[in-house]
Structure formats: structure tokens, C-alpha cells
Amino acid sequence: MNEFINKDFLLRSDAARQLYHEYAETQPIIDYHCHLIPAYVADDHRFDNLGQIWLEGDHYKWRAMRTNGVDERYITGKDTTDREKFQKWAETVPYTMCNPLYHWTHLELKTAFGVDDLLNPASAERIYNKCSEMLRTPEFSARGLMKHYNVETVCTTDDPADSLEHHIKVRDDASFGIKMLPTWRPDKAMAIENPETYKAYIRRLGEAADMEIRNYSDLIAALKKRHAFFESVGCRLSDHGLEAFYAEECTPEEADRIFRGVLDGKKPDSADIARFKSAMLLEFGRMDHDAGWTQQFHYGALRDNNTLMYEKLGPDTGFDSIGDFTVAKQMSKYFDTLDREGKLAKTIIYNLNPRDNELVATMIGNFQDGRYGAGKMQFGSGWWFLDQKSGIERQLGALSVLGLLSRFVGMLTDSRSFLSYPRHEYFRRILCNVLGEQIENGELPASEIDFIGREIVAKVSYGNAKDYFKF
């Protein structure tokens, strides 16, 4: 019987162990998509306790606690302490066995704090006190944790109207040595469903761009101005959170009519929403191409399913699920339109429904282009509900048989937590185990294990992302 979370965790063969320990384990981390709070990095934030760093904003844990019968006041309540919330999390952890939270929890305890104990009600107070004491020291500040995990670059998720003041502060601090770069996330600029909310956002965007936005032409001009500003601060990536792809026909005149109507308070119908978002997505794609950026698409989430809890807590609080949207034709049309214009940027596609794995793996092959180097079009890593062992294995499997695994840009945390970097280790162990199993089975030649280690494992873990993004 194997020991839990030992040095060979998830590595079931000699080949897998060799690949991981010799080629993956010590690679730096490029975390090219995350939701860290930039101010925490800029100010080198120190966390008061383990409950704070672990449970604030972590809707993965919140969902598990709710399922385990924990009262909401111990999850998001304002009248309970961090220690009380942590105790409820510790009571939940033993029941997360077979859920990735069980692996992540103990990997984080071991790799950050050197804690080998299992977290449960009996060990909770001891673990809380030890880790909280460590968190209050300089070595365990936000920056200290990034250095501890050998992070080279992180890319946060930022709105076009954001000031990026914290990114500038980090950029200008020569003592830090880790890059924190913004990512352009313009979802709110095309979210016209609620005219009042949208008008408020347009005012904010206009203030950031130092111009009045009265029509569609002004909107695009303001966004281009902010796009250039983001680039000046080091941005090389955009990101778009979509239910599905939009590729309806929409002339600039139609987009202007829809935009003006929304500013006048008119609620658009579903057809106009689709047309406007289609026009905006094309404009975003053109901006990214002209700037030499990479565009990312996270699609397929059915968000805010629980109306009562949305009204109480707002978005991103653990009430989202996998959607079953039809996407192939619209996705193809969108990419083909940009490709025919000569404006298709490097692209990463992340699906949330695993039924779309083969769809995405084949779609990217339609638009590969050697002029951009290897792997212009990327099938993104297992995301959100799929960033666990079986989801990662299925994504790797589809990419392997329908594309080139060797050109994959690898894993990311997609997290708000400074303790989530072991997700890169988790991914690397799974990758090495998949390849090691094929070597052991004779499906890959054992004589090529050094090539597999150097050209696949090391590059998927780190090198491909470094070459692809050119941060």
C-alpha cells in the first residue's frame, strides 16, 4: 500500500517517476491565467491566518462545505471568525475524499508549510495555529509564497477600465524579480443585457480612457486606447468568459443602433445581443492580432443558477455549473472570419463541458499556421470543474490523439489563492504518469525516455509557455 502524498504521489511506474523527478519537478512556474488580487502582490500582503488565505473567495471549498451541511454563516457569513470557518472546513475535509479538494488541501499543507498530518477535526487547531504563525512571517507573505513556489510570471485578470496601478508598482520594483502582468478581460464592455449596469460601466470606461463614449465608434476608440495602455504595462494576453461563441452578421451601423439604444435605456432582445457581441468579439480579435497578443476563450459555464444566493452574495460564490451550449459552427465561423482577414491571433480555447474535448482538439487543427511557430492554436488545460485528475487525463488524451501534446502550453491555477501553485505540480505528476504508463506498456519507446522528458515533459511543464507567450 502506497503512502499518501509522498514524493512519488500519482506516479505509478518507474518511467513516470523518472520523468517527473528528472524533467518536471524543478521547472519554474508560468501561471498565465489566475485571479490573484494585484494589490496583494504590490503591497506584499501578509495573511492573518490559514482560514483567511484558504477560505476567502474559494468557491470550490464553499460548494463542498454546503454539500456537507455547513450553515452559510460559517462559509460566507460576517458574524463568524476565520477560526470558526476553518474548523467547519476541517470537519468537511475527510468527506472530500475522491474529490480533488482532498488532494489539493494536503498538497498545499505539505508543500507550503511542511505539514504531513491529515486535516480533520482532531488536527484542525494544531494545523491552524502552526500555519497561521508561519503566515505572519515575511517568508510567507504574498511575494514570499510566490518565490517559495518558484514562480516566474503570473498573469492576473483585469478589466479595461482598471488603473493597473498595482502592476506598475510591481513592474517598477527591481527587488522582486517576478513578473505580474495584466490580462485584458473586456467582458463587461459587451454585456448589454442590463442597460443600467452597462451604462454605468460605459461611464467608467470613458473616464479611464479620458473621453466621452456616445456611440459605437467612440466605444471601439476607447477600448483601443485602453488596449494600448495595457500593452504598455506588459499585457500580452486577452481573456473572454463566454457561454458560447458569437458569430452573427452585424454591420458597424447595426452595432451602433444597438449600442445607442442601450444607452437610451432600451433593453435589447436576444437577436440584438448576439449581433452586438459578435461585432465586439471580432473587434477584440483584431486588436489582439495587431498587438501580437494571444487571445483566450473560457466558454461553457452556466453561471449564477441560484437566484436567491446570487441576490444575497453576488457572482462567483459557488452557484455555477457546466452548460450544454452548442458551439462548433459559431466557433468555426468566428475563427474563419478572422483568418480570412489575416487577423487571427494566437488562441487558447478552454471548454467546461468535457463532451467538447474532441470538438476543441479538432477545431484548433483547422487554423494552425506555421508562420506563427508551433502550436498557434491551443486546446487549453482542464478548467474549473475539469482541473482534476480525470479531467486532466481526458484533456491530455484528446489533445494527444487529435493534435500534438508536445506543443501544449500546459497548466495554470485559475485561482485567487497564493497557495494554489501545487496545482502545477499536480498536473505535472499526472502528465508524467500518463506518459510513463505508455512507456511501461510499450506504446512509447523506453529508449526515447530522455527525448520524452526534455521535449515533452519539460516543455509542457514550462518551456512551451515561455516560448509561446514571450513574456
Side-chain angles (χ1 to χ4, degrees), residues 360-377:
V360 175
T362 54
M363 185 65 71
I364 63 173
N366 298 328
F367 300 101
Q368 300 289 10
D369 188 338
R371 293 174 297 174
Y372 290 81
K376 171 189 175 180
M377 304 292 291

Side-chain angles (χ1 to χ4, degrees), residues 437-445:
E437 184 176 355
Q438 293 186 42
I439 292 171
E440 295 288 336
N441 292 342
E443 298 171 57
L444 292 174

Side-chain angles (χ1 to χ4, degrees), residues 448-464:
E448 293 297 304
I449 193 167
D450 180 62
F451 177 89
I452 294 168
R454 285 185 294 103
E455 296 299 319
I456 300 180
V457 171
K459 289 190 173 179
V460 171
S461 297
Y462 166 72
N464 286 345

Side-chain angles (χ1 to χ4, degrees), residues 43 89 126 156 172 288 363:
D43 299 336
W89 168 239
R126 181 174 68 255
T156 58
D172 294 343
D288 290 349
M363 185 65 71

Side-chain angles (χ1 to χ4, degrees), residues 10-20 23-24 393 396-397 400 404-406 408 427-446 448-449 451-461:
L10 298 179
L11 305 172
R12 297 195 296 263
S13 67
D14 289 340
R17 290 186 279 273
Q18 182 178 346
L19 289 173
Y20 179 73
Y23 300 97
E393 289 172 342
L396 292 174
S400 296
L404 294 181
L405 172 63
S406 56
F408 178 35
F427 167 83
R428 292 172 184 181
R429 288 178 178 273
I430 293 167
L431 170 69
C432 291
N433 190 65
V434 167
L435 292 169
E437 184 176 355
Q438 293 186 42
I439 292 171
E440 295 288 336
N441 292 342
E443 298 171 57
L444 292 174
E448 293 297 304
I449 193 167
F451 177 89
I452 294 168
R454 285 185 294 103
E455 296 299 319
I456 300 180
V457 171
K459 289 190 173 179
V460 171
S461 297

